[in-house]
Amino acid sequence: MRPGATDAAGRGSGGSAVPTLDVDRSDPAHRAWLNEAVRKVQADANRSADTHLLRFPLPPEWGIDLYLKDESTHPTGSLKHRLARSLFLYGLCNGWIRPEAPVVEASSGSTAVSEAYFASLIGVPFIAVMPRTTSREKCRLIEFHGARCHFVDDPRTMYAEAAALAERTGGHYMDQFTYAERATDWRGNNNIAESIYSQLRLERHPVPAWIVATAGTGGTSATIARYVRYMQHDTHVCVADPENSCFFDGWKEHDPHATSERGSRIEGIGRPRMEPSFVTGAIDRMMKVPDAASVAAVRALDRVIGRKAGGSTGTGLWSALRIVAEMANQGRPGSVVTLVCDPGERYLDKYYSDTWLAEQGLDITPYAQVIDTFLAAGRWEE
């Protein structure tokens, strides 16, 4: 070898030593900004009390308790507040979120509301890429936090448009549909599953027979199912899926490439493709719920406990009531938990509007009768 050259192992042949390669990208000002951003996001969790676990009244002789974990009481009003917090911490600690660079998200609404809140909290711009059919109230809430709504006509194009927009603006595409299941610590750390079990501790059936979730990204169902298995609880996890979503078919047929040609009418859940965060192997059961049944259930919730909630809550409640009916028919006591995902006030022009139902061709009467008959006489006659 010539003097100063190195062999394959990096050894010199004599002469001058091989210089050490050194690239230092540390920046005290950036590290100070990052530390402050993480502190602000963590402080938000520290300020927030846990969400309530509501009881849905059932005949006492059944020996069954039905609970709804009310995630609408988060500061941004939905289940997605937990996800957005986790995604921001994940993005910050990975070095993806930077000062002044926009954060871009593909979302049908609630995630965007929550991410807009956290973007405002740490002082970065936020752009939500969403279907043009997203409720006006959700758009107003996103803009309230100083963010911008970017609409697409075809929900299936949200992903590509969000990625392209992040590229054009030099920002970060948050991509909740990929990172939801990995950004949340499913072993504990005050996740939604740990909270449910803690709140049930003094109830007569502290370990639920079933937890029913709905899926948009799949992050919540993955967190709950993994926690159940990690803690070795004798609980099963059911995911309720709306019309115009591919999750049910993809799960049933073990098809990771399943798609749907139309977008879901139930905002926040149901997807046109199998999302990376939808962990099929962790789920015990799935139900395909008609959209009219989801609306009937969410209106029944308002009648029974005086709480309005979004359509995704109705999808989960319909499935939970159906499971309760099975347990009652088998004479099997226990508890069932489902979720209040977000408040109904965001959907007064949709799920609580008879005009909207007529425009969509949805008749909720048969499903409302199923619920009323069940609660009055204990018979599920679907």
Side-chain angles (χ1 to χ4, degrees):
M1 291 186 297
R2 60 180 173 79
T6 59
D7 63 14
R11 294 185 294 265
S13 62
S16 60
V18 177
T20 300
L21 300 179
D22 186 356
V23 178
D24 186 351
R25 289 178 176 167
S26 63
D27 179 352
H30 175 75
R31 180 55 65 89
W33 178 88
L34 176 63
N35 290 346
E36 181 66 4
V38 170
R39 183 196 66 77
K40 288 177 179 178
V41 175
Q42 291 180 329
D44 171 84
N46 203 46
R47 287 193 302 271
S48 302
D50 202 358
T51 59
H52 306 303
L53 198 62
L54 309 177
R55 293 184 72 252
F56 188 99
L58 298 172
E61 61 269 20
W62 293 0
I64 302 171
D65 298 319
L66 175 58
Y67 302 92
L68 294 104
K69 179 70 165 161
D70 187 4
E71 295 290 284
S72 71
T73 57
H74 282 295
T76 54
S78 83
L79 169 70
K80 300 300 186 179
H81 192 85
R82 293 181 192 266
L83 172 60
R85 182 193 296 131
S86 295
L87 287 169
F88 264 82
L89 286 173
Y90 194 69
L92 285 165
C93 294
N94 282 339
W96 298 340
I97 299 174
R98 307 178 307 281
E100 301 181 3
V103 171
V104 182
E105 183 63 285
S107 170
S108 60
S110 287
T111 301
V113 173
S114 297
E115 289 187 8
Y117 167 88
F118 283 105
S120 175
L121 190 68
I122 67 172
V124 297
F126 181 76
I127 306 170
V129 179
M130 58 179 55
R132 200 171 298 279
T133 56
T134 301
S135 72
R136 292 191 298 272
E137 178 61 13
K138 281 186 179 177
C139 298
R140 185 192 69 79
L141 290 170
I142 292 166
E143 292 168 347
F144 172 80
H145 293 298
R148 178 163 67 88
C149 299
H150 181 94
F151 297 106
V152 295
D153 294 314
D154 184 347
R156 293 172 296 181
T157 66
M158 285 197 310
Y159 318 92
E161 181 61 20
L165 187 58
E167 180 72 20
R168 291 197 301 269
T169 59
H172 167 57
Y173 173 29
M174 190 73 90
D175 194 2
Q176 59 167 322
F177 299 105
T178 295
Y179 295 107
E181 57 87 11
R182 66 191 73 173
T184 301
D185 183 359
W186 47 267
R187 298 171 188 84
N189 193 25
N190 195 34
N191 68 37
I192 188 171
E194 183 182 49
S195 175
I196 288 170
Y197 283 92
S198 176
Q199 291 175 312
L200 285 173
R201 185 172 55 85
L202 299 180
E203 301 297 313
R204 60 175 176 170
H205 304 299
V207 176
W210 286 91
I211 297 178
V212 180
T214 51
T217 62
T220 298
S221 61
T223 297
I224 292 172
R226 287 165 165 169
Y227 182 85
V228 164
R229 295 178 180 204
Y230 181 69
M231 298 301 293
Q232 305 167 56
H233 289 308
D234 191 18
T235 300
H236 297 286
V237 176
C238 174
V239 171
D241 202 35
E243 294 178 30
N244 303 325
S245 172
C246 70
F247 283 154
F248 178 85
D249 292 332
W251 179 83
K252 179 183 176 184
E253 304 299 330
H254 304 282
D255 181 6
H257 305 295
T259 59
S260 173
E261 292 302 313
R262 298 177 57 192
S264 173
R265 284 181 293 203
I266 307 300
E267 284 191 27
I269 61 171
R271 302 299 307 157
R273 70 174 191 181
M274 295 292 283
E275 301 295 352
S277 284
F278 185 60
V279 183
T280 57
I283 298 165
D284 299 299
R285 179 177 182 179
M286 286 198 70
M287 291 189 198
K288 191 75 167 180
V289 178
D291 290 348
S294 298
V295 177
V298 82
R299 290 191 178 191
L301 179 68
D302 190 23
R303 292 196 304 273
V304 173
I305 69 171
R307 296 294 294 271
K308 283 184 169 61
S312 56
T313 300
T315 308
L317 179 58
W318 176 267
S319 296
L321 287 170
R322 204 165 181 267
I323 289 173
V324 169
E326 293 172 358
M327 294 172 62
N329 185 56
Q330 297 164 3
R332 183 160 52 97
S335 59
V336 177
V337 179
T338 188
L339 311 175
V340 176
C341 302
D342 60 1
E345 286 72 19
R346 295 181 178 181
Y347 309 97
L348 296 180
D349 60 341
K350 284 194 170 184
Y351 312 125
Y352 295 91
S353 167
D354 292 337
T355 300
W356 183 83
L357 289 177
E359 291 172 350
Q360 298 295 317
L362 295 176
D363 180 10
I364 69 172
T365 303
Y367 302 100
Q369 290 175 346
V370 170
I371 295 173
D372 291 344
T373 299
F374 173 60
L375 295 178
R379 299 191 309 274
W380 189 269
E381 299 176 348
E382 193 174 340

